[in-house]
Amino acid sequence: MQKTKFTEFIDSLVKTINPFISDSWGKRSILLLSLLFGFYFTNSLISFLLDKPVNTIFLAITIVLIMELSIRSSLISRFSIIIMSINNFRIGSTYALILEAFKLGS
């Protein structure tokens, strides 16, 4: 087969997706649960604090700052299951924050 840009793209896509497919079910379930827990935790925290007289702009900035600090600390060891679950928690919480911003229209 000839080496075209499309085949290089497919090869890089397979190399990217293969670790997620070939991992054990325990690792995949931990990563999925951390993603969903990050979404649930941030969504419930925002919903709880929206009823309180707290400045929501500072709340969003604080949540984003905590998420960015967690990703900066995860650069030390990239393939540890704990670091990957913290990163998935961060991704779920970022999604919840953005979804809440769209729901509020800001």
Side-chain angles (χ1 to χ4, degrees), residues 27-63:
K27 185 177 179 180
R28 284 186 288 177
S29 63
I30 287 173
L31 294 178
L32 181 65
L33 283 174
S34 65
L35 180 78
L36 294 174
F37 184 69
F39 175 78
Y40 175 74
F41 178 74
T42 305
N43 198 13
S44 62
L45 180 71
I46 289 172
S47 297
F48 174 72
L49 291 177
L50 281 177
D51 293 337
K52 306 292 180 199
V54 177
N55 196 347
T56 56
I57 294 172
F58 292 121
L59 176 68
I61 290 172
T62 305
I63 291 173

Side-chain angles (χ1 to χ4, degrees), residues 46-90:
I46 289 172
S47 297
F48 174 72
L49 291 177
L50 281 177
D51 293 337
K52 306 292 180 199
V54 177
N55 196 347
T56 56
I57 294 172
F58 292 121
L59 176 68
I61 290 172
T62 305
I63 291 173
V64 168
L65 184 66
I66 289 170
M67 287 184 284
E68 288 302 317
L69 288 175
S70 70
I71 193 63
R72 299 291 184 240
S73 66
S74 70
L75 292 176
I76 298 168
S77 171
R78 287 187 60 134
F79 298 112
S80 172
I81 186 70
I82 297 170
I83 299 300
M84 290 174 69
S85 64
I86 289 172
N87 192 26
N88 278 2
F89 182 86
R90 181 189 63 87

